[in-house]
Amino acid sequence: MSLERTLSIVKPDGVRKNVIGDVFHRFEKAGLRIVAARMMQLTQAQAEAFYGVHRARPFFRDLVSYMISGPVMVQVLEGEGAVLKNRDVMGATDPKKAAPGTIRADLADSIEQNVVHGSDSADNAAREIAFFFSETELCPR
Ligand code: ADP
Ligand code: MG
């Protein structure tokens, strides 16, 4: 494994449920460090661009509406094997299929409203981090 960075988002349902701290604590317990963070309200254009890979999927419109339904907390996580480690902490997309003890199993309501986003590969992590943060905003430790 090598030192990696990945992009994480606490989605609007997570912010509404007041579980930002719970989610951050899970990252820290797993050995991931938060090296940048910003709370923000995504615009429709930002949400459509961020999830552009899903543009043709039937759930795309609902996904964009959900992602702009309230503020999100966006963060960069750093650590050994951070991309996969974050996906492990998150759990499967569908909370009904997520392993016990994962964020989605414990905190999410549905396959759409599933509390967190996490990059799925090192390449996508680099692209997604650059979508939200400039290099000078990252504080590696
Ligand atoms: P993940 O977030 O686990 O990487 P995907 O990249 O496949 O999952 O999907 C992106 C997001 O789109 C999901 O986190 C979820 O919010 C939403 N989504 C995925 N599949 C569905 C579905 N079948 N129905 C509704 N929303 C979905
Ligand atoms: Mg994905």
Side-chain angles (χ1 to χ4, degrees):
M1 273 199 301
S2 59
L3 194 65
E4 290 180 344
R5 289 176 188 164
T6 190
L7 187 88
S8 163
I9 302 176
V10 180
K11 296 177 174 180
D13 56 325
V15 174
R16 273 192 289 274
K17 286 180 171 178
N18 210 24
V19 293
I20 296 170
D22 185 331
V23 170
F24 278 20
H25 191 214
R26 290 165 190 255
F27 296 150
E28 293 180 339
K29 278 191 297 184
L32 295 165
R33 290 179 298 278
I34 296 160
V35 298
R38 181 188 303 121
M39 187 173 243
M40 61 188 292
Q41 169 68 52
L42 292 178
T43 65
Q44 173 145 344
Q46 282 175 314
E48 287 176 356
F50 183 76
Y51 275 123
V53 64
H54 295 306
R55 199 171 290 274
R57 308 284 285 277
F59 57 79
F60 180 70
R61 275 176 171 279
D62 278 355
L63 174 60
V64 169
S65 300
Y66 155 54
M67 289 301 291
I68 66 173
S69 67
V72 295
M73 189 75 193
V74 187
Q75 47 282 335
V76 178
L77 307 178
E78 186 179 80
E80 292 293 317
V83 174
L84 266 182
K85 191 173 278 183
N86 180 41
R87 296 291 304 196
D88 284 348
V89 173
M90 289 165 60
T93 307
D94 183 351
K96 292 200 285 288
K97 295 178 182 158
T102 60
I103 292 169
R104 284 163 164 174
D106 289 351
L107 303 175
D109 292 329
S110 70
I111 190 168
E112 180 190 72
Q113 308 231 347
N114 57 9
V115 177
V116 278
H117 167 83
S119 309
D120 63 4
S121 68
D123 283 353
N124 283 335
R127 188 179 59 75
E128 292 177 0
I129 290 167
F131 187 92
F132 287 109
F133 296 99
S134 64
E135 192 62 34
T136 55
E137 290 178 294
L138 306 181
C139 304
R141 308 200 301 281

